[in-house]
Amino acid sequence: MVGDFDIVHDSKDIAFYAGLLTMSYQFLRTLTIIHWGILSDRIGRRPVILMGLLGDLLTFVLFGVSKSFKWALVARSLNGFFTGGTVVIKSIIAEISDDTNRGRMMAMFPLMWHFGSMLGGAIGGLFVDPVKNYPGLFGNSILFREYPYLLPCLVGSSISLFGLVVGYFQLEETLDIKSIARPSSGIVSEATPLVSEAQSEEGRCRIGSESEQFSKWDILTPTVIRILITNLVLCLAISMHNQLYPIFAATDIADGGLGMDARTIGYSFMLCGLLVVYMQLALYPKYERKYGALECY
């Protein structure tokens, strides 16, 4: 896509502008991820998840119809803004699990995340420019001739639409409704507590003011800092691979790349996704039992 914009004059420029698109997505996602979490504590997990899916669906389509770099940059930034709500998924997992199954459920989250990332790359490579790659099916399509990158975005949007429909009808709110302040109806029954939520909260605040106060910085113990740093390094390595590999693979051999076309890159992402699933489900449990979680990490 970046190579088709009029701002690219050389194949080496693709890496720079593709990096800007990636940076805009991650930048907006980083800025909003904490605010999405705070919002979910106020209005609930379910609304935040549904808003994120709806925003992802719409911005995906906007990205697919991009005809200029500025349009693509705005669409990608908006996509990062809405996908910041994915942090709420971990809160839902923690709230529906207990000590007996929380570890296994949390382990499934990165598995699905990495598999989805690889699958997304495969979809992008296999469905791009369908008029050229699949003339028997889309050779007469005016829409895909005008927007050759729309089809993979529509496939991604359909996945978001499926999640939106399932979430709307099947996803239940996991946040304890007692933690959400609601005005009293004034009706007294056997279930009415002797101490109201406001009085209870006032009492807790009074006790808290008399005891030692902790700030958000107090959780940054040396162990937590080491975990955060190592996680930063791992995320950096994974992001570099996910973003640099398709650029390196698509770059001409004369410029030091692999000279692959979009379909071949899609197949390679599909292979990586299968390997990730195999390693997570077959290899990792064996090594974790033998060496322990810390050594594997």
Side-chain angles (χ1 to χ4, degrees):
M1 173 184 280
V2 176
D4 291 341
F5 295 144
D6 53 6
I7 59 173
V8 177
H9 305 289
D10 187 85
S11 60
K12 296 180 181 179
D13 295 336
I14 296 178
F16 174 75
Y17 289 105
L20 288 181
L21 288 179
T22 303
M23 183 191 69
S24 66
Y25 170 83
Q26 296 293 350
F27 181 71
L28 264 294
R29 191 171 187 269
T30 302
L31 285 182
T32 58
I33 192 170
I34 295 179
H35 300 286
W36 281 114
I38 295 175
L39 182 63
S40 73
D41 289 336
R42 295 179 177 178
I43 66 175
R45 317 298 189 203
R46 183 175 179 272
V48 171
I49 291 293
L50 297 181
M51 284 190 291
L53 288 171
L54 179 61
D56 183 64
L57 188 157
L58 297 177
T59 54
F60 229 145
V61 177
L62 289 177
F63 186 73
V65 297
S66 300
K67 301 293 289 186
S68 66
F69 179 76
K70 292 182 179 179
W71 182 288
L73 187 66
V74 172
R76 195 64 175 149
S77 300
L78 290 175
N79 188 252
F81 173 85
F82 285 104
T83 55
T86 55
V87 65
V88 181
I89 297 177
K90 292 185 178 180
S91 300
I92 294 178
I93 295 176
E95 291 166 351
I96 64 175
S97 60
D98 53 35
D99 294 338
T100 62
N101 57 10
R102 183 171 295 116
R104 293 193 300 271
M105 295 181 68
M106 285 293 184
M108 292 298 295
F109 182 81
L111 170 63
M112 294 295 101
W113 179 270
H114 294 304
F115 179 69
S117 299
M118 297 300 177
L119 183 62
I123 291 175
L126 295 176
F127 292 99
V128 67
D129 200 358
V131 174
K132 177 182 177 181
N133 294 324
Y134 307 100
L137 294 175
F138 304 100
N140 298 324
S141 175
I142 300 177
L143 178 64
F144 294 129
R145 189 180 301 275
E146 180 70 17
Y147 303 105
Y149 302 97
L150 178 59
L151 181 59
C153 293
L154 289 179
V155 175
S157 296
S158 65
I159 297 175
S160 297
L161 178 61
F162 175 77
L164 181 63
V165 173
V166 173
Y168 183 82
F169 290 103
Q170 299 293 329
L171 181 62
E172 299 179 0
E173 180 58 60
T174 60
L175 182 64
D176 186 3
I177 58 175
K178 293 182 180 181
S179 64
I180 304 178
R182 295 180 298 175
S184 175
S185 61
I187 301 176
V188 180
S189 65
E190 295 86 352
T192 303
L194 297 177
V195 180
S196 66
E197 293 183 9
Q199 293 173 325
S200 178
E201 181 66 24
E202 181 182 355
R204 286 194 294 269
C205 293
R206 188 183 304 112
I207 294 175
S209 63
E210 297 173 355
S211 61
E212 183 180 0
Q213 299 298 307
F214 294 94
S215 68
K216 60 183 179 180
W217 302 108
D218 292 326
I219 64 174
L220 296 179
T221 63
T223 301
V224 173
I225 293 176
R226 287 193 293 268
I227 294 175
L228 292 177
I229 292 176
T230 54
N231 188 62
L232 172 65
V233 174
L234 288 175
C235 291
L236 178 62
I238 294 172
S239 298
M240 288 176 63
H241 169 266
N242 290 341
Q243 304 305 323
L244 292 179
Y245 169 72
I247 298 175
F248 170 67
T251 302
D252 295 335
I253 297 179
D255 295 327
L258 300 178
M260 294 182 178
D261 57 13
R263 183 181 298 185
T264 305
I265 296 175
Y267 284 130
S268 65
F269 269 110
M270 185 179 298
L271 177 61
C272 290
L274 294 176
L275 290 176
V276 167
V277 173
Y278 173 74
M279 293 177 64
Q280 289 280 354
L281 298 181
L283 295 183
Y284 176 76
K286 296 179 181 179
Y287 284 101
E288 196 275 335
R289 288 193 296 268
K290 183 176 182 180
Y291 300 104
L294 181 60
E295 294 296 329
C296 291
Y297 182 78

